[in-house]
Amino acid sequence: MYVAVKGGERAIDNAHAWLAEERRGDTAIPELTVAQIRSQMALAVNRVMAEGSLFDPDLAALAIKQARGDLIEAVFLIRAYRTTLPRLGASNPVDTGAMQPDRRISATFKDLPGGQVLGPTFDYTHRLLDFALMAGGATRTSPQRQEEAPPSPLAGEGRGGGVPQPVPHVTEILNRDGLIEALAASDATPPDLTREPMELPADRALRLQALARGDEGFVLSMAYSTQRGYGRTHAFVGELRIGRVAVEVDIPELGFAVEIGEIEVTECETVNQFKGSKTEPPQFTRGYGLVLGQSERKAISMSLVDRALRWKELGEDNIGAPAQDEEFVLMHCDNIQATGFLEHIKLPHYVDFQAELELVRRLRAEATALREAAE
Amino acid sequence: MTAPAIAYNFAYLDEQTKRMIRRAILKGIAVPGYQVPFASREMPMPYGWGTGGVQVTAACLVPEDRLKVIDQGADDTTNAVSIRRFFQRTAGVAVTEATADATVIQTRHRIPETPLTEGQILVYQVPIPEPLRFLEPRETETRKMHELEEYGLMHVKLYEDIARHGQIATAYAYPVRVEGRYVMDPSPIPKFDNPKLTANPAIQLFGAGREQRIYALPPYAEVVSLDFEDHPFQATKAAHDCDLCGAKVSYLDEVITDDAGGRMFVCSDTDFCAGRRARGLIGRLGGDQKSSKTFANSFQGIWPGTEGAP
């Protein structure tokens, strides 16, 4: 009975105890360790880090364990933890051009400086269940790893060493010929939606921040809708790169920047067809996505949505597509906000419902009286 | 009472965050009914569970406070229990169920029946702070409408209600106008509670966490429920007395007691109801073996074998 929601102190304790028991599951089966989740569920860990806006694979793995594999719940745990951390400062912009990518592909050029590096990708795998994994069969190791230098201590398992080659951005190659829109560098402090209330209209930096921590499913669907014609931007993946970048912070006392660590990121730059508008000449335009960890679906989606949201600055028409609607996208892309508000309707609402009951009863009584008077 | 957890600052939020929230509160009090944007933090409970109210309460609490938390008027609903525990754990403040004894009251969906007094703070949890939201979904538009005091749309909506239903068909979250200026959403309180908003000696603070807004009513602010001269505002409740304490003037919850149309009506304000019964005031079904806490589990045949069954 719903009223039993009252008197809930003991019920809450019991529910939490039961939850803990269910989380552990069958005790005859060994308990998952956080290290196992971190290293074997790395893409789930990446998603939790990206949407939780916190680069910490151990904590993300812990959150996944605690959340019983519910990734949105895990993101929530990370976000709630993240708020308690002081913000000490802002890093310098990370230089993705200096990245030694584990994966780097361009869909616009067959070959290019730095080469095409497939890296650890599901692309071109046949999606056949591998029953050997179920039987605990041996894992294949990559031939490169066998032959080459020991893995870099900065990179995870399975990555070769080798001599660093410069890997310039594809968009820079296009930029040299003036074929793609020029973007002025800026030293402006980017806005931070975790410290300031979201204000609309938002600038591009704020939009990108919101998208970077937005729900992968939501951003994916928005991007997909542009491909199907709701605000089409004709995107080519100019470049997708995944790898580790150094994070540097200026230390005022020292007068120079110090590297404080490395993070893995996925960067996607789209090159979008553009026939010119009332204000801009024909040239290629850009969409941009940058996501913590290896999260290429999210990075590509993000760059498509970013490009669609730029209709105004490029002088394009607003055709009323959802992905062009900044307020719609930004106000609804956060899954922690969305799931909280959605699920809160299971909290008691009987005071309001009672008010509605009385209203409906009164309206019905009046309607009935009117009908009877008419008859 | 549990000792405050050492790992967190008093009342969970760090001092800079509390300062930021207090500034928003002060601005809200200075401009009654105006929605002040604030940098809402992610709290360890979900959005929609009262994160705005919790942040406002956290920013107001001092160690000497006595906190009361209610949801649907009751101190013992699960979410009220959870929020009260949160502050016991993180702030170590005293808690109470007595409205008159509390210095800070956090509420969801009700204003206590016992009149508030000077020096008390009533903190409302707000899901959608924008009274115009369901008329105009865009924040960029509604902010402009407030700036220009362009509230015609709201009056048209109320008028259409009357044209269609013969009366204004809003039963809760009934819009009000504050000090003749801002139209404000009083949070989803039943409109029965609206008259308590005006000239209230307590400070009334409204926190919307997910929507990042705080607004306020300073003590004795003038708050008028929107209406028309020929269709004046009416506070409504179920046409019954409380079956436990016999109160005629309190807001009532309807409780289904069997599957054959049986029902009883009880005060939604559990402290008010218990106080009356303690003074010997008894309603139709209010034999002294029943309290609102235990009666929920006391229906024989429907919910057998639980504690408190008579």
Side-chain angles (χ1 to χ4, degrees):
Chain A
M1 172 185 266
Y2 192 58
V3 190
V5 120
K6 287 192 172 195
E9 201 139 349
R10 229 183 64 208
I12 292 175
D13 286 338
N14 288 342
H16 291 173
W18 193 352
L19 174 68
E21 205 178 298
E22 287 291 313
R23 185 197 61 68
R24 174 59 182 88
D26 185 352
T27 50
I29 295 169
E31 183 166 357
L32 266 175
T33 67
V34 167
Q36 284 171 338
I37 297 170
R38 189 193 58 220
S39 68
Q40 295 174 43
M41 294 282 144
L43 298 188
V45 167
N46 287 342
R47 180 168 177 191
V48 170
M49 292 196 299
E51 292 167 29
S53 298
L54 184 72
F55 191 90
D56 191 320
D58 288 305
L59 290 183
L62 169 63
I64 291 168
K65 176 173 173 168
Q66 189 178 331
R68 306 177 62 196
D70 179 340
L71 295 189
I72 291 184
E73 180 67 23
V75 170
F76 183 14
L77 288 167
I78 291 298
R79 290 269 191 98
Y81 174 76
R82 181 192 191 279
T83 2
T84 67
L85 303 175
R87 194 178 65 166
L88 300 173
S91 75
N92 291 335
V94 294
D95 181 5
T96 52
M99 170 196 292
Q100 278 303 303
D102 293 328
R103 170 162 165 77
R104 189 275 193 125
I105 51 166
S106 169
T108 51
F109 296 99
K110 184 171 183 181
D111 200 4
L112 67 169
Q116 305 257 22
V117 182
L118 271 188
T121 175
F122 291 122
D123 298 351
Y124 320 113
T125 62
H126 295 149
R127 269 56 170 211
L128 303 170
L129 279 176
D130 182 356
F131 293 103
L133 287 176
M134 198 178 221
T139 318
R140 290 160 61 189
T141 46
S142 64
Q144 188 192 22
R145 189 182 167 201
Q146 287 169 343
E147 291 158 13
E148 282 201 4
S152 152
L154 298 173
E157 274 180 281
R159 287 155 197 166
V163 186
Q165 300 280 329
V167 189
H169 280 112
V170 168
T171 47
E172 288 317 304
I173 299 168
L174 288 168
N175 198 24
R176 255 200 311 272
D177 301 334
L179 290 172
I180 195 163
E181 56 165 325
L183 277 186
S186 164
D187 278 332
T189 308
D192 183 350
L193 62 82
T194 69
R195 286 293 183 271
E196 299 293 329
M198 169 109 67
E199 224 177 303
L200 297 168
D203 65 9
R204 192 177 179 203
L206 187 67
R207 291 199 301 251
L208 289 171
Q209 187 192 6
L211 290 173
R213 55 194 248 135
D215 181 74
E216 180 173 311
F218 178 88
V219 181
L220 168 66
S221 292
M222 281 291 132
Y224 177 49
S225 73
T226 68
Q227 289 186 292
R228 289 197 64 259
Y230 289 81
R232 184 146 188 233
T233 59
H234 315 268
F236 298 99
V237 173
E239 178 167 359
L240 178 76
R241 56 170 73 197
I242 302 172
R244 303 181 78 88
V245 290
V247 178
E248 293 184 341
V249 173
D250 272 325
I251 308 291
E253 290 82 353
L254 298 177
F256 54 86
V258 171
E259 184 178 327
I260 59 165
E262 279 196 330
I263 58 173
E264 186 187 38
V265 295
T266 303
E267 183 185 52
C268 178
E269 290 183 282
T270 55
V271 177
N272 300 67
Q273 207 188 85
F274 185 59
K275 296 198 170 70
S277 68
K278 284 161 241 155
T279 56
E280 302 293 323
Q283 62 187 335
F284 291 110
T285 55
R286 304 166 189 253
Y288 188 74
L290 183 77
V291 185
L292 292 181
Q294 178 176 354
S295 309
E296 57 186 82
R297 181 188 301 120
K298 171 75 177 284
I300 300 169
S301 302
M302 180 177 165
S303 55
L304 262 63
V305 177
D306 168 51
R307 176 60 187 80
L309 288 171
R310 296 180 63 210
W311 63 273
K312 199 182 271 179
E313 70 181 277
L314 295 169
E316 292 174 320
D317 291 333
N318 181 352
I319 62 157
Q324 288 180 311
D325 187 331
E326 169 180 288
E327 185 160 349
F328 181 82
V329 172
L330 297 193
M331 298 305 274
H332 302 113
C333 66
D334 190 288
N335 53 22
I336 301 308
Q337 291 177 355
T339 198
F341 197 54
L342 180 102
E343 293 195 49
H344 107 281
I345 61 174
K346 66 194 170 190
L347 290 179
H349 281 76
Y350 38 78
V351 161
D352 293 347
F353 186 69
Q354 187 62 37
E356 290 280 283
L357 261 181
E358 294 303 325
L359 179 66
V360 171
R361 279 178 183 146
R362 209 164 49 244
L363 293 176
R364 285 177 61 87
E366 276 165 27
T368 313
L370 272 178
R371 203 180 315 126
E372 279 166 5
E375 284 164 8
Chain B
M1 195 197 309
T2 332
I6 305 157
Y8 294 107
N9 195 31
F10 175 79
Y12 186 75
L13 296 173
D14 62 276
E15 293 304 315
Q16 282 309 308
T17 300
K18 285 198 262 184
R19 189 163 163 237
M20 174 272 293
I21 295 170
R22 286 177 193 139
R23 290 167 74 155
I25 291 172
L26 289 174
K27 184 167 178 182
I29 287 174
V31 193
Y34 169 73
Q35 299 168 53
V36 185
F38 82 111
S40 178
R41 296 293 190 256
E42 269 144 337
M43 301 300 286
M45 59 272 286
Y47 287 118
W49 259 246
T51 53
V54 165
Q55 290 179 78
V56 169
T57 298
C60 290
L61 278 183
V62 293
E64 298 75 33
D65 270 319
R66 269 185 314 281
L67 177 69
K68 172 181 167 79
V69 183
I70 50 174
D71 185 346
Q72 315 293 301
D75 296 273
D76 57 357
T77 34
T78 38
N79 202 40
V81 169
S82 165
I83 291 172
R84 185 165 56 242
R85 273 189 180 181
F86 175 74
F87 284 115
Q88 283 178 290
R89 210 167 127 189
T90 59
V93 291
V95 295
T96 179
E97 295 195 359
T99 301
D101 291 345
T103 54
V104 178
I105 302 171
Q106 180 167 332
T107 181
R108 177 167 171 263
H109 295 189
R110 275 312 309 278
I111 299 176
E113 307 288 0
T114 309
L116 303 176
T117 54
E118 282 184 14
Q120 287 185 306
I121 299 176
L122 182 61
V123 179
Y124 296 76
Q125 301 172 199
V126 182
I128 304 270
E130 179 49 73
L132 306 169
R133 178 62 66 241
F134 299 109
L135 305 171
E136 166 54 61
R138 285 175 190 282
E139 178 70 11
T140 38
E141 286 300 315
T142 52
R143 280 191 87 77
K144 227 176 283 167
M145 289 161 76
H146 283 293
E147 275 167 29
L148 301 172
E149 244 178 293
E150 201 183 284
Y151 296 131
L153 204 57
M154 181 62 94
H155 282 103
V156 169
K157 191 256 170 201
L158 298 178
Y159 168 75
E160 283 178 350
D161 271 5
I162 292 169
R164 202 168 297 152
H165 308 294
Q167 56 187 290
I168 293 170
T170 299
Y172 61 91
Y174 190 100
V176 296
R177 187 143 192 183
V178 180
E179 292 286 335
R181 177 58 178 86
Y182 286 100
V183 166
M184 184 190 98
D185 181 312
S187 89
I189 56 173
K191 69 176 177 176
F192 172 83
D193 279 339
N194 271 28
K196 299 175 192 156
L197 293 162
T198 194
N200 197 315
I203 296 175
Q204 300 175 79
L205 305 176
F206 299 77
R210 188 179 43 79
E211 298 279 341
Q212 308 188 313
R213 296 290 184 272
I214 284 172
Y215 50 101
L217 296 172
Y220 303 106
E222 184 202 40
V223 182
V224 178
S225 301
L226 299 184
D227 62 359
F228 296 100
E229 273 173 29
D230 52 344
H231 283 272
F233 170 81
Q234 275 181 315
T236 54
K237 66 185 269 289
H240 295 269
D241 302 340
C242 173
D243 283 329
L244 292 179
C245 76
K248 294 178 187 308
V249 295
S250 66
Y251 191 75
L252 301 173
D253 286 341
E254 180 173 336
V255 180
I256 312 291
T257 52
D258 57 36
D259 56 2
R263 63 195 55 180
M264 65 190 289
F265 289 87
V266 295
C267 293
S268 97
D269 185 333
T270 47
D271 169 58
F272 179 76
C273 196
R276 283 176 54 88
R277 275 175 290 137
R279 294 200 302 277
L281 298 162
I282 303 296
R284 186 174 64 96
L285 302 169
D288 54 3
Q289 84 281 11
K290 285 200 179 91
S291 73
S292 69
K293 254 186 194 173
T294 53
F295 102 106
N297 291 326
S298 71
F299 305 116
Q300 286 167 302
I302 295 180
W303 195 251
T306 51
E307 55 170 318

